[in-house]
Amino acid sequence: MNIELQCCALFIVFTIFVMFMREKKLDLMNRKLFFHALCACFGCLIFDILSVILINLAVHQGFSPIITSIVCKLYIMLLTLQGFCGYVYASTSLLPVDKTWAKVVKTLSYVIFIAGEILMFVLPIGYEAYDRVVYSYGPSTSVAYVLSAVYIISTILTTIAYRKQMPGRRLVAMLLWQGIWLLAAAIQFVAPQLLLMGFASAFGMVILYIQLENPSEYIDASTGLFTINALSAYVHDRYKFGKRFAMFTAKIHFISNGVDYNIEQDAIIRTARALVALGPEPAFRIDDDTFCVLYDDKERMYERASNIKMQKDGVNDIPAKGTYLLVPDSLLMNGPDEFFRFLHTYLESDAEIVEADKELVEKLREQNRVKELIDEALSEDRVEVFYQPFYNVRESCFDVAEALVRIRQKNGELVPPGVFIPVAEKSGQIIPLGIRVFEKVCEFLSKGEAIKYGLRQVEVNISAAQFDYENPARFVLEYLDEYGVEPGCINLEITETAAARNKDFMLRSMNKLIEEGISFSLDDFGTGRSNIDYFVNMPIKIIKFDHSFTKGFFNNVKIKHVMTGMIDIFHKMNMEIVVEGIEIEDQVGVMKDMGVEFIQGFYYSKPIPENELLAFLRDRNNIVS
Ligand code: C2E
Ligand code: MG
Ligand code: MG
């Protein structure tokens, strides 16, 4: 009898079925729909085999024509159901859920399907069997052919229409699946003895299972938890279908870098177990050392999360501690992108417990706006450099100026660096920004006017964090060469709003620049950000006392003593001193008496654009042009 291919197909589908049932499942819409399609395929194959057997029995041995007809009808109804499930599987993740037209399309497809199934059941069917050819015919079968064709074509068209919002792999898998179906139907049409349809649909299921529903992508091999891919699919699904959720995330920090690999793995496995023990909710491993559990509501999350075994100051006996991130309501964020941005940003924070609320999400949005502001300013050349001249006490002139970056907004207003430098340091935009500032400074110096009016050196700020991304020596030397600027005209001020992670690398890079004739200052001294390491171990020539420290000098006797002592120490170490934040004349006198080399402050000048600096230098350095 002509059922070999269907039996093979049944075996394949049964294998997928067993594997699918055995794996840990996540409540994902696509997985549910895949399961429906798999069941339809399974049922269809059983009735395919049954109908071939019964048709043969009915034609050759007089078996009941009524039962045979019913089985034949059930087979073609299941075949159509399979096509319908395929269409629903393909379209549900693609069509928008909130658009009226999409709802109409969905309702219509269900109505057509149900009407078709009823028609197939009530309309007459015939069947025939000779040699190896077995087939059914009649109005009922015709409805099945038409509907199946409609579903296959709709699936292909929907897939093609939404190809841009689909990962390439999904697109290929969907088209391959539907293409195989079409090919099998065409072959079966011309050669009815080849009952290929059942086998083709089983083959399609194999493609979908391996390419799209592959469990290895969703399960982390070493912990058995769900992976970041699973989390991404789950979160997208929840946002798409408007289902809110709460999330508890834990990141393990090993207290020292050299923790033994086995101890690390042990901590990870134990954390994974602790999370699984927290309840039936799905637990994910989203990074080597970061885990999360998703809950349907925040009450459940708070209740379960309070049971977490990991303590703030150690994972039991392991030298590690945790950072906890709680998201009580996913709808605080406006979609998966913002949700993951939030996760990414706040998991890196130093706080032990971060709880998402409106304020924090708004802060994230603000940061994002600042990032966009920087990107736009860079691409539209709205990054400007202002200069603040310093007074050289020994030479009684203004021969140094600090370059201070600003962003000019489209409406002409200026954004001060305090708003965007910390964001740029975190996002890495400090690299293009720093390069742009340096190029502008070189361009300015290359014109020669500032030097003609007595300017000897420009101090350019460079964040310690810049050394984490690249070697600044490269662009510094490149631009000096390109614009023909003497290295001695540049002094780099190291600012440490974000600490450098690799001090050795930083030191090598600094030494390379010093060899070329560039000098370094330590900025922000006295703010608590400037590390003692810098002036003891780093090749620093100038110390800049931050204006908060200078202010303290005039208001607080203790700070006055500290500052006086520090000035003495730095002078003994052959370093020069710049005091910042000098705003009134009396302060100038005091600082001169203290023996500082340079005075910077609003008393002399605020940071000003190039042309104003040139006028300032010319007037105050008494240069006759
Ligand atoms: P900073 O390097 O310590 O620069 C001195 C800051 O103090 C400037 O603020 C300046 O306007 C301000 N200042 C100067 N004199 C006085 C005064 O008498 N009173 C008061 N109240 N303030 C005074 P600005 O321009 O807003 O810059 C803030 C910070 O942004 C800088 O502090 C520096 O850390 C950073 N920054 C500026 N430009 C750059 C840059 O190109 N790259 C990097 N990485 N950081 C930069
Ligand atoms: Mg500075
Ligand atoms: Mg400073």
Side-chain angles (χ1 to χ4, degrees), residues 351 374 378 433 546 590:
I374 302 172
L378 281 168
L433 203 58
D546 189 73
V590 176

Side-chain angles (χ1 to χ4, degrees), residues 5 9 39 61 99 107 169 173 204 208 259 277 280 308 317 333 396 405-406 458 473 476 504 508 588 596 606 619:
L5 277 178
C39 290
Q61 290 168 36
K99 295 271 186 320
T107 317
R169 213 169 72 159
L208 292 189
V259 175
I308 189 86
D317 51 324
M333 293 87 176
S396 308
V405 66
R406 270 101 182 91
V458 171
V476 167
D504 284 344
R508 262 182 282 142
V588 174
V596 303
K606 288 198 168 175
D619 297 347

Side-chain angles (χ1 to χ4, degrees), residues 398 444-445 447-456 458 610 613-614 617-618 621 623:
F398 294 88
F444 175 55
L445 284 173
K447 292 180 196 153
E449 274 178 291
I451 292 169
K452 193 171 83 187
Y453 294 138
L455 192 74
R456 183 175 48 84
V458 171
E610 283 177 15
L613 176 78
L614 292 176
L617 292 175
R618 192 187 55 214
N621 286 341
I623 311 271

Side-chain angles (χ1 to χ4, degrees), residues 2-299:
N2 194 358
I3 53 168
E4 299 86 348
L5 277 178
Q6 289 91 322
C7 287
C8 279
L10 194 64
F11 179 72
I12 292 171
V13 174
F14 181 71
T15 311
I16 300 177
F17 194 80
V18 172
M19 288 199 292
F20 188 82
M21 292 310 282
R22 283 199 55 202
E23 83 199 25
K24 236 172 79 166
K25 264 178 262 340
L26 203 52
D27 180 21
L28 286 172
M29 182 59 85
N30 261 357
R31 300 226 121 188
K32 263 191 226 155
L33 296 176
F34 173 75
F35 183 64
H36 293 168
L38 194 65
C39 290
C41 182
F42 196 64
C44 185
L45 280 168
I46 289 178
F47 275 85
D48 190 2
I49 295 169
L50 215 56
S51 64
V52 172
I53 296 172
L54 291 192
I55 290 174
N56 273 303
L57 285 178
V59 171
H60 302 299
Q61 290 168 36
F63 183 75
S64 159
I66 298 179
I67 297 178
T68 309
S69 298
I70 292 176
V71 169
C72 286
K73 283 184 181 185
L74 286 174
Y75 163 58
I76 55 167
M77 285 165 74
L78 280 165
L79 190 70
T80 317
L81 172 71
Q82 207 191 333
F84 180 65
C85 285
Y87 168 72
V88 174
Y89 175 79
S91 64
T92 304
S93 60
L94 298 176
L95 296 181
V97 273
D98 47 354
K99 295 271 186 320
T100 319
W101 67 263
K103 284 180 195 156
V104 172
V105 168
K106 191 175 167 191
T107 317
L108 209 65
S109 64
Y110 275 89
V111 170
I112 293 175
F113 169 69
I114 292 168
E117 293 286 294
I118 295 171
L119 270 178
M120 278 180 265
F121 197 74
V122 295
L123 287 174
I125 195 166
Y127 46 80
E128 192 56 81
Y130 54 88
D131 302 333
R132 280 180 65 82
V133 178
V134 180
Y135 62 91
S136 60
Y137 59 89
S140 180
T141 313
S142 302
V143 174
Y145 282 139
V146 171
L147 272 187
S148 297
V150 167
Y151 291 135
I152 294 177
I153 291 167
S154 307
T155 308
I156 292 178
L157 291 181
T158 315
T159 309
I160 292 174
Y162 286 92
R163 65 191 177 282
K164 288 210 177 92
Q165 69 176 56
M166 239 192 282
R169 213 169 72 159
R170 190 175 176 86
L171 180 72
V172 172
M174 298 298 286
L175 291 179
L176 210 63
W177 172 39
Q178 295 300 311
I180 286 172
W181 257 51
L182 267 184
L183 191 70
I187 295 175
Q188 197 167 324
F189 188 73
V190 268
Q193 74 279 15
L194 289 173
L195 299 181
L196 274 180
M197 285 295 280
F199 191 76
S201 52
F203 196 64
M205 285 294 132
V206 174
I207 294 175
L208 292 189
Y209 184 67
I210 293 176
Q211 288 288 95
L212 306 181
E213 306 298 333
N214 186 350
S216 67
E217 277 204 11
Y218 281 178
I219 306 289
D220 176 59
S222 55
T223 57
L225 300 186
F226 290 111
T227 57
I228 180 77
N229 289 341
L231 180 70
S232 172
Y234 195 56
V235 167
H236 275 84
D237 218 58
R238 291 234 148 188
Y239 274 106
K240 173 150 185 153
F241 298 104
K243 287 194 226 155
R244 50 158 43 104
F245 60 90
M247 177 182 194
F248 170 84
T249 311
K251 183 179 169 83
I252 311 175
H253 296 282
F254 292 98
I255 287 163
S256 78
N257 282 336
V259 175
D260 183 84
Y261 176 76
N262 292 328
I263 294 184
E264 247 186 63
Q265 290 307 305
D266 183 39
I268 285 166
I269 302 286
R270 277 204 253 169
T271 311
R273 280 199 203 125
L275 288 176
V276 171
L278 276 184
E281 284 86 359
F284 301 80
R285 182 180 190 186
I286 53 181
D287 198 351
D288 279 354
D289 49 10
T290 312
F291 304 88
C292 72
V293 186
L294 260 56
Y295 301 91
D296 282 340
D297 57 65
K298 62 179 175 199
E299 281 72 30

Side-chain angles (χ1 to χ4, degrees), residues 383-386 388-390 402-406 415-422 424-425 430 433-438 441 459-466 493-497 523-525 527 529 544-548 551 579-584 587 600-607:
V383 174
E384 293 187 12
V385 178
F386 278 39
Q388 187 180 29
F390 313 171
E402 177 170 5
L404 293 157
V405 66
R406 270 101 182 91
V415 185
V419 173
F420 58 87
I421 291 286
E425 283 177 340
I430 192 70
L433 203 58
I435 292 177
R436 184 68 58 87
V437 169
F438 195 75
V441 170
E459 305 216 334
V460 183
N461 289 284
I462 182 160
S463 316
Q466 270 173 262
E493 290 187 7
I494 305 272
T495 59
E496 210 186 28
T497 40
D523 207 351
D524 303 332
F525 185 77
T527 56
R529 288 199 294 260
K544 295 193 70 177
F545 282 42
D546 189 73
H547 43 80
S548 56
K551 275 201 178 70
V579 283
E580 292 180 352
I582 299 300
E583 294 183 354
I584 51 176
Q587 295 173 337
Q600 176 181 10
F602 291 171
Y603 171 69
Y604 293 114
S605 170
K606 288 198 168 175

